Amino acid sequence: MKRRAFITAAATAPAALAAPSIVSAQAQHNWKLVTSLPRGLPGPGVSAQRWADRVTAITEGAIKVDVFGAGELVAPFATQEAVESGTAEVYHGSGSWFSGRDTAHAFFTAAPFGLTFDEMHAWMYYGGGQELLDEFTAPRNLKVFIGGGSGVQTAGWFKKPINSLSDLQGLNFRAAGLYGEVLRKLGVNPTSIPPGDIFASLQAGTLDGAEWVGPSNDLAFGLPNVAGYMYAPSPVEIYGGIEFGIGLDAWNALTDGQRVMVEAVTEAEANRSSGDTLHAHLQAYEKLRAMPDLTIGTFPDDVWEAIITASREVIDEVKQTSDFHGRFVTAYYDYVRQATEYKRYYDTAFLIERQKFFS
């Protein structure tokens, strides 16, 4: 029995000795994720927590991610800078909210007459979009991934009807990124404020109108209670994307396998978040349609014509910023043009016939 015990101990000794060295070789990464959105906000707020939970789970705790909602650690629109400075390892927000630092960033989330969420995913994963995003964000010490899109958003909520282009003149309107730049050319006074301040600003009268996301998010924010006119679709908030930005120091400290895991979780979240938002929009739109005091419409023709002209001007201005901006914007709209032609024959034609099916 003693001999057998000795043999058993000898056989298990290498594993017992090896285990501590394996554990010690596995570095622990404690990440702080700062989101520009309120913690647990339906849709994008839930997405941030789901991403954090899945990264922690798939790495078996080797990467532990703690989420801080808007204002809990840094100001809502200071999340990107917090990662650049090392205050946090990951930010979660829309490139449109950070476009004041560089307008080009907005193209990865919301661009005039741009890519829908399925087209954006195709461009990012296979059409060269991720490589351009890496080139754009690496100088800021960031590794950025798209994290899902809301789909075509609401153009805006207004306190009075928009019957002509003149009705937009002088309005104080909450709009971020390129949408704000387009509306500015139409005589609107755009202002970019954090999402959590939209309702109070409309209620107080400091805003005459606002864009947020779409039916589910707009309803959750109570916008029908403070603005009786809803117009869709948006000409700019097409993908309506959210992104995850990781500090390059934190990213490079991971093993190759851990980077694959984080990337896989992020790609899965981009799909999951997009599906989650669309499903919620479908339910919320039915509730909005049933509201007797809410007017739902689309912009009149002269507004659309002015938006098209202004959008072309904004796009040209961004292209002239630098050689990279010219290269990037050209590549983006080459893909938009290709997708538009394809969908004209397939998606658009089908959607017209599908409406007839239900009429």
Side-chain angles (χ1 to χ4, degrees), residues 64-127:
K64 185 177 182 299
V65 186
D66 292 316
V67 176
F68 295 85
E72 292 180 10
L73 187 62
V74 298
F77 285 175
T79 53
Q80 186 183 75
E81 292 171 278
V83 173
E84 293 177 26
S85 67
T87 301
E89 286 71 33
V90 189
Y91 75 80
H92 172 255
S94 169
S96 293
W97 303 338
F98 314 126
S99 62
R101 307 178 70 198
D102 190 321
T103 307
H105 202 139
F107 279 91
F108 292 99
T109 52
F113 300 95
L115 296 170
T116 61
F117 75 82
D118 54 336
E119 296 164 353
M120 174 65 83
H121 291 184
W123 181 60
M124 291 298 295
Y125 299 143
Y126 299 105

Side-chain angles (χ1 to χ4, degrees), residues 281-297:
H281 282 345
L282 299 180
Q283 318 307 311
Y285 181 61
E286 292 301 315
K287 294 179 181 179
L288 292 175
R289 289 180 60 195
M291 292 183 176
D293 297 327
L294 176 63
T295 299
I296 298 176

